[in-house]
Amino acid sequence: MTITQAQQEVVDEFALFSDWQDRYEHLIELGKDLPLIAPEHKTDDNLVRGCQSRVWLHADVSTPLDVTDQKVIHFTADSDAMITKGIVALLVRVFNDRTPQEILGASTEFIDKIGLRAHLSPNRANGLSAMVDQMKRYALAFSSNSTKHGSWSPAFLLNSCQVRGPGLWSLAMRTVRCGQRPWAP
Amino acid sequence: MHTLSTKATEAQEAARDTIRRHINARHAHEVIFTSGTTASINLAANSLGQLLLKNGDEVLISGMEHHANIVPWQMVCERYGAKLKVIPVTDEGELEPRRRDDATEYFTERTKVFAITHVSNTLGTINPIKELIAQARKQGIITVVDGAQAIAHLNVDVQDLGCDLYAFSGHKAYGPTGTGVLYGREELLERMPPWQGGGEMIDVVTFEKTTYAKLPFKFEAGTPHIAGIIGLGEAIRWMEDYDKAAMAAHEHKLLEHATKELLTIDGLRIIGTAKEKVGVIGFVIGGVHHYDLGTLLDQQGIAVRTGHHCTQPLMERFGVSGTTRASFACFNTVAEVDALVAGVKKGVKMLR
C-alpha cells in the first residue's frame, strides 16, 4: 500500500463517523495503539516542543528482510495529551516503515480531510506541526546519508548540520534551518 | 494639512479625552497610545530603566505577573545591572505578604520600580494595589500597574489609585486589537526620556541634535493606529453606557455559579481561590490534559483558553503544566455557564 492509499484508508475510516464526538472518540482510541517510544528514548532530545501538549518522537532506520537494497524509517512516539496522541498515531501509521523518499514526497492533506486541520496549524499551540517537520527532517537526513545506520535524535540532526561540510546534506539542512521546506511542491 | 487629516486627528484626540475621563486622569496628554499592554510596559521599562536604574538597584514585581510584566523588566535589569525581585504567591493565589495588603517588607532602599498587576489573568485575583502603591510612594518607589485584566471589569481611577503609570490594552476593553494605553503622571512623563524615535515625536531635528515634542507625542513615534484608537474611544464610550458596578456584580454572580458547579466534577481543582476575584476561573482536572479538554470544548462551541496563559512562573508555582480557563464578560449568561459545565463533564467523560 502506498502512502497515498494509506491516507485514503484513514479518510474512509473517518467518513464513517457523522458527528464530532464519534470522530474524537475514535481518535482517542487510536492513540492507545500508537507504537510507544521506548523509555530510554523518551528524552528531552527527542521532545518536539509545542506550547501545550508535548510529543516525543524517535526514528530508527532498518532494512526490510524482503528488500535488501532499501531502507525504511520506523517511528515510535508518545504524547502527554490524548487527542494529540491520536493524531500522532495517525501520522505514524501513515508514515511508518516507508522509505525516506516516500516520506519526503508525502503531504499531510488527509488530516485536513478528516476535519482535524486546526491541530496541525503552525499557530496551534501543540507539537504536531513541528512533529510533521521533524518526521520529514528524519527522512531527509536518512535519505541524504545512505551510509548511516542507527537512530538519531532531533537535537543531533540540528547540531550535526552546524559541523558538516558542504554537500547535499548540509545544503538540505540549511534549508530546513531557514524554515523553508525542500519537500514542498 | 487637509480636511480629512484634520478630522482624523480630531477624532483621535477625542478618543484620548474619552479615555482620560474614563480613568480619571488629570490631563489628556497623560494618555499615551501604544499597540497594547505589552508595548506600554516595554515603553515604561525602557524609559524608566534609562531614567532610574543603576548597578545594584532593584525592580520589584509579583509572582503572578504575565510575561509582559516580567520579561521587559528582566531585559532592562540585565542592561543596567539591576536585580529583579519577586513577591511570592500563596496557595490561594494571593500576594504572600503577611497581611495581603502590605508589601513593605519587600521594599529596600535600592527598590526603584514596583511593577504589579491589578488583576491576575490566570488566577483572577484582584490585588489591593491602592494600599501597595501608597506604601511604595512613601518610599519614593515608582509604581507601574498592569491593568490589562482590570480595565473592563473594575472602576479604574488612576488619581485615586495614586499610581505613576497604568497600562492596558484596547482589546481587553471591548476595543480593537493593536491598541493600548500607557497612562502616566504628568510630572513623571516629563522626566522620562523617549523610548522610540521617529516621526511625530520630535520638535526640531538637525543632524547634530533633536529636541522632542511635548506630551503625549514624545512617546508616540510613528504613525499612530488612528482607526483603532477611534474604535477604542467608542468601545470605552459603549462601556460607559453601563454601570460598571452592575457589570462587575453580574460577572461575580457568574463566577460564583461556575465555581460551585465546576467543583462538583470529580478531581477538579481550581487554580486561584483568592477572596477577591474577577470573573476568571482556571482549573485542572486529574488525568485530563488541558489541551484535550480545550479541544473538546471547542467542538461544543465553548471558547476557553488553555495552557500556561503567559504565566509560566505561576504554573511552576502551582505545579501544573497548564490550566483550562473560562472567563466571563458582562454579556455572558448563567445558561452559558451551565453549558460550560455540561461541556466540561462531557469532555471529561470522553477522556477518562
Side-chain angles (χ1 to χ4, degrees):
Chain A
M1 198 191 300
T2 65
I3 285 192
T4 315
Q5 285 166 337
Q7 293 186 348
Q8 190 55 47
E9 194 185 81
V10 172
V11 173
D12 294 343
E13 188 177 308
F14 273 77
L16 298 173
F17 305 111
S18 55
D19 77 346
W20 70 270
Q21 196 174 334
D22 294 341
R23 205 161 61 232
Y24 274 94
E25 271 169 355
H26 183 60
L27 196 60
I28 291 165
E29 282 307 310
L30 288 176
K32 293 172 184 165
D33 299 334
L34 174 69
L36 270 190
I37 189 166
E40 67 267 27
H41 293 311
K42 201 172 172 180
T43 59
D44 278 358
D45 274 355
N46 277 329
L47 187 60
V48 183
R49 265 166 232 283
C51 203
Q52 292 193 24
S53 60
R54 296 184 294 172
V55 175
W56 291 267
L57 179 70
H58 177 73
D60 285 303
V61 69
S62 63
T63 307
L65 290 173
D66 52 336
V67 201
T68 49
D69 60 337
Q70 261 193 353
K71 291 184 177 58
V72 296
I73 303 178
H74 186 77
F75 293 104
T76 53
D78 199 3
S79 171
D80 57 352
M82 293 174 89
I83 290 170
T84 307
K85 202 166 159 178
I87 299 172
V88 171
L90 279 179
L91 289 165
V92 167
R93 176 169 136 193
V94 165
F95 285 140
N96 229 7
D97 300 322
R98 305 279 177 190
T99 65
Q101 286 71 23
E102 281 180 289
I103 294 169
L104 287 172
S107 85
T108 52
E109 247 177 49
F110 75 109
I111 296 287
D112 298 11
K113 287 186 188 154
I114 58 174
L116 299 172
R117 182 183 179 171
H119 295 281
L120 276 185
S121 132
N123 292 330
R124 196 79 186 190
N126 64 37
L128 283 169
S129 171
M131 195 194 90
V132 175
D133 288 352
Q134 194 58 49
M135 290 174 116
K136 300 250 181 180
R137 224 173 263 146
Y138 274 122
L140 191 64
F142 288 129
S143 73
S144 51
N145 203 323
S146 56
T147 57
K148 278 272 176 191
H149 286 264
S151 56
W152 295 340
S153 70
F156 172 79
L157 292 182
L158 288 173
N159 292 336
S160 60
C161 57
Q162 317 276 351
V163 294
R164 278 169 185 264
L168 176 62
W169 159 276
S170 161
L171 283 173
M173 289 315 292
R174 207 171 298 148
T175 318
V176 171
R177 268 214 313 283
C178 296
Q180 295 160 2
R181 300 169 188 207
W183 49 84
Chain B
M1 172 47 67
H2 55 74
T3 309
L4 292 176
S5 75
T6 307
K7 274 180 130 171
T9 303
E10 278 172 9
Q12 176 183 292
E13 294 311 309
R16 200 188 299 275
D17 199 56
T18 299
I19 292 160
R20 178 207 64 75
R21 186 183 69 226
H22 190 73
I23 62 173
N24 194 31
R26 272 179 307 159
H27 309 289
H29 60 249
E30 293 177 320
V31 173
I32 297 158
F33 288 124
T34 68
S35 63
T37 305
T38 300
S40 296
I41 295 174
N42 273 279
L43 192 171
N46 280 274
S47 179
L48 286 177
Q50 193 183 334
L51 180 69
L52 300 171
L53 293 182
K54 304 252 180 327
N55 195 31
D57 282 344
E58 291 170 9
V59 172
L60 181 66
I61 61 172
S62 88
M64 65 174 88
E65 300 307 317
H66 186 283
H67 295 162
N69 204 28
I70 301 174
V71 184
W73 300 110
Q74 257 171 352
M75 291 164 77
V76 292
C77 280
E78 199 174 330
R79 194 182 309 153
Y80 297 104
K83 270 183 281 187
L84 188 68
K85 294 197 132 185
V86 184
I87 302 175
V89 173
T90 65
D91 291 344
E92 290 72 36
E94 295 180 342
L95 295 178
E96 182 88 302
R98 240 154 257 120
R99 282 168 47 224
R100 66 181 264 285
D101 55 357
D102 184 355
T104 48
E105 61 182 298
Y106 294 96
F107 299 146
T108 73
E109 54 191 20
R110 300 305 301 265
T111 310
K112 292 290 159 63
V113 177
F114 178 33
I116 178 87
T117 193
H118 197 166
V119 170
S120 159
N121 69 311
T122 301
L123 308 167
T125 309
I126 303 172
N127 284 318
I129 58 164
K130 188 177 171 180
E131 290 78 5
L132 303 177
I133 289 165
Q135 292 151 15
R137 287 198 73 174
K138 222 178 266 175
Q139 305 203 25
I141 298 164
I142 297 295
T143 53
V144 183
V145 181
D146 171 355
Q149 301 294 327
I151 191 68
H153 307 289
L154 303 176
N155 270 317
V156 174
D157 180 332
V158 290
Q159 291 191 66
D160 181 53
L161 291 172
C163 55
D164 291 300
L165 300 172
Y166 193 99
F168 65 89
S169 298
H171 71 272
K172 302 279 195 220
Y174 306 109
T177 51
T179 62
V181 165
L182 180 66
Y183 155 81
R185 217 160 32 79
E186 183 187 44
E187 300 78 17
L188 179 65
L189 290 181
E190 293 287 5
R191 285 168 56 215
M192 284 166 59
W195 174 38
Q196 294 178 318
E200 303 287 344
M201 55 79 73
I202 55 88
D203 173 27
V204 178
V205 176
T206 66
F207 286 122
E208 288 70 39
K209 187 172 171 54
T210 294
T211 53
Y212 302 118
K214 291 184 305 187
L215 291 175
F217 307 109
K218 179 171 93 171
F219 293 107
E220 294 180 353
T223 305
H225 183 6
I226 301 165
I229 290 166
I230 297 167
L232 174 57
E234 288 307 307
I236 299 278
R237 271 160 36 117
W238 172 83
M239 267 207 297
E240 287 182 337
D241 283 346
Y242 300 89
D243 177 21
K244 244 190 187 168
M247 277 176 165
H250 174 70
E251 289 166 15
H252 193 74
K253 191 176 83 180
L254 299 179
L255 175 71
E256 286 195 323
H257 183 60
T259 304
K260 188 173 124 248
E261 292 300 318
L262 283 173
L263 282 173
T264 64
I265 295 169
D266 186 38
L268 186 143
R269 169 184 164 214
I270 291 174
I271 305 290
T273 50
K275 277 182 213 80
E276 291 199 40
K277 278 180 71 172
V278 298
V280 160
I281 185 161
F283 56 88
V284 292
I285 302 174
V288 174
H289 195 284
H290 49 81
Y291 181 81
D292 290 334
L293 184 59
T295 300
L296 298 180
L297 287 173
D298 178 53
Q299 290 296 317
Q300 299 174 73
I302 299 162
V304 293
R305 185 169 170 184
T306 60
H308 55 60
H309 314 289
C310 298
T311 54
Q312 285 178 1
L314 199 54
M315 295 295 108
E316 204 181 327
R317 160 68 183 81
F318 283 93
V320 296
S321 65
T323 67
T324 302
R325 186 196 68 181
S327 47
F328 309 120
C330 56
F331 47 71
N332 285 121
T333 63
V334 172
E336 285 170 333
V337 174
D338 289 337
L340 165 74
V341 175
V344 172
K345 284 181 177 166
K346 187 170 192 168
V348 169
K349 201 173 157 202
M350 286 174 70
L351 291 164
R352 270 188 181 155

